[in-house]
Amino acid sequence: MSNQTNADNKTFKALVVEETNDGEFKKSIQQRNVSDLPENDLLIEVHYSSLNFKDAMSASGNKRITRNYPHTPGIDAAGVVMSDKSGTFSEGQEVVVFGYDLGMDTDGGLSQMISIPADWAVACPDSLSLKEAMIYGTGGLTAALSVQKLEKMGAKPADGPVAVTGATGGVGSISIAILKQLGYDVIAFSGKSEQSDYLKALGASEVRHRDTINEIGDKPVGRELWANAIDTIGGDYLANLLKQTKAGGAVTSCGLAGGAEFSMTVLPFITRAVSLLGIDSVYIPLDDKKAIWERVSTDMKLPDLESYAEEITLEQTPEYLDRFMASQTVGRYVVNVRG
């Protein structure tokens, strides 16, 4: 029997989401073979993944995220190269993967093995373990990209506070911690008032209920309350953040839990020169991904990183994905897929 045949017959565990005859979606941990994976150059033994809201949507049968089932979600993965037909990586090299089609229509990181195109992966920075990389994951990398984009627009701690919405979520929580580390004053907005102490421990100087953002109502502009903002919610929250941002400030947008549409006038843009900045962590160029990984492994690397995430097993992922859909999650969740 050839080595390739042996590899194809190798079994591993994965979360599998299946559509039932009555249109329901069930989640289970199943044994699979490497031969079940798509034909791609890079085969990775996954050690850690993480949970994101997009994973929960895929696991619940959202066909805007995943068209075909059975399917393994997981838009993040960190592991060790088993083989690479492209010659880009060496066997045994540690790599991280986030974005592109991983976990959407390509079987994802909530699995002990994945097969992907080689240009979806980057080498794991030397100063980050695989677990630490997944504590960041897509949520943390989106936070880092948001902060970096504000910096590129000229944001400085001396300008005034930065507002962060969806503060208890994966992107929001890491945004607060990174901003605090870089010297910014942070106003955290959340619908979970009971998490105020948690948000202050992350680095927020002030915690407000998210609905206070919308107290401005239909006014085209309001008082200038924050220098810049990171929005993870969308909808009216995004519109009203923009209306209350200081002249010359900027608001990044990376989420739509509050709606994909918003309505407002152009006045904040043309009378205050406020900027709306889109954040894409999925299809950004590979060199940009390498650069942001370098930052989170250096000046954006958080001390005591493991305190920012709860570690769970692959077997626990069905329960935790349901918690995401019920808005019962706080912070980041790293998945030890082999533990």
Side-chain angles (χ1 to χ4, degrees):
M1 183 179 290
S2 69
N3 289 338
Q4 183 61 52
T5 303
N6 283 331
D8 288 346
N9 289 334
K10 181 179 176 63
T11 61
F12 61 92
K13 291 192 297 183
L15 172 69
V16 178
V17 181
E18 299 173 287
E19 186 172 7
T20 65
N21 291 333
D22 58 2
E24 299 295 318
F25 292 85
K26 66 175 185 178
K27 301 181 285 292
S28 62
I29 307 301
Q30 298 183 14
Q31 289 281 343
R32 303 190 68 201
N33 293 327
V34 169
S35 57
D36 297 330
L37 295 173
E39 283 285 338
N40 286 305
D41 283 342
L42 185 59
L43 182 65
I44 299 171
E45 179 185 78
V46 180
H47 289 209
Y48 289 93
S49 183
S50 75
L51 295 188
N52 301 275
F53 187 62
K54 189 176 286 187
D55 302 322
M57 289 192 289
S58 173
S60 68
N62 188 319
K63 294 196 175 181
R64 291 177 298 172
I65 305 296
T66 301
R67 292 189 295 270
N68 299 306
Y69 295 82
H71 175 67
T72 294
I75 62 173
D76 293 333
V80 175
V81 172
M82 300 296 289
S83 63
D84 181 9
K85 298 174 187 175
S86 75
T88 305
F89 299 100
S90 304
E91 183 178 344
Q93 188 172 358
E94 293 187 344
V95 293
V96 292
V97 189
F98 75 107
Y100 302 109
D101 192 51
L102 185 72
M104 297 175 71
D105 282 308
T106 300
D107 282 341
L110 297 178
S111 168
Q112 293 177 337
M113 301 286 286
I114 58 172
S115 174
I116 60 169
D119 59 3
W120 288 8
V122 298
C124 186
D126 291 340
S127 59
L128 288 178
S129 68
L130 293 176
K131 180 178 178 179
E132 288 175 330
M134 287 297 96
I135 290 173
Y136 285 105
T138 292
L141 269 290
T142 302
L145 286 166
S146 299
V147 174
Q148 180 173 265
K149 204 152 194 179
L150 290 177
E151 290 177 334
K152 287 181 177 179
M153 293 297 292
K156 303 179 295 297
D159 295 337
V162 179
V164 177
T165 65
T168 61
V171 178
S173 60
I174 299 298
S175 294
I176 292 169
I178 290 175
L179 286 165
K180 175 65 175 177
Q181 176 158 302
L182 296 177
Y184 289 85
D185 184 31
V186 182
I187 303 172
F189 288 93
S190 173
K192 301 173 181 176
S193 301
E194 70 279 7
Q195 298 296 335
S196 291
D197 289 344
Y198 165 73
L199 294 173
K200 288 179 179 178
L202 288 176
S205 59
E206 185 178 352
V207 179
R208 303 180 189 175
H209 195 280
R210 66 186 180 196
D211 290 344
T212 60
I213 297 170
N214 293 335
E215 289 176 353
I216 185 175
D218 295 330
K219 293 179 181 178
V221 292
R223 291 193 302 129
E224 300 176 43
L225 300 180
W226 35 82
N228 298 282
I230 293 174
D231 178 58
T232 72
I233 304 177
D236 290 341
Y237 296 98
L238 174 56
N240 292 326
L241 275 173
L242 288 159
K243 294 177 189 179
Q244 298 170 93
T245 298
K246 292 182 179 181
V251 178
T252 65
S253 173
C254 66
L256 45 67
E261 299 179 358
F262 65 93
S263 177
M264 61 182 293
T265 73
V266 299
L267 286 178
F269 306 113
I270 64 175
T271 65
R272 291 182 177 169
V274 170
S275 299
L276 174 59
L277 310 175
I279 302 298
D280 169 34
S281 60
V282 178
Y283 294 109
I284 62 172
L286 198 61
D287 284 346
D288 291 346
K289 290 191 176 186
K290 292 176 181 177
I292 199 64
W293 274 112
E294 182 63 27
R295 286 208 67 185
V296 299
S297 67
T298 54
D299 68 310
M300 287 187 180
K301 185 175 182 182
L302 301 171
D304 194 21
L305 192 53
E306 293 199 12
S307 67
Y308 293 91
E310 177 181 347
E311 180 175 330
I312 65 172
T313 65
L314 187 62
E315 286 74 15
Q316 291 175 286
T317 55
E319 172 194 348
Y320 277 74
L321 289 167
D322 288 343
R323 292 189 191 182
F324 268 85
M325 297 305 293
S327 297
Q328 296 174 346
T329 55
V330 175
R332 294 285 295 150
Y333 297 88
V334 62
V335 184
N336 184 342
V337 299
R338 311 197 75 80

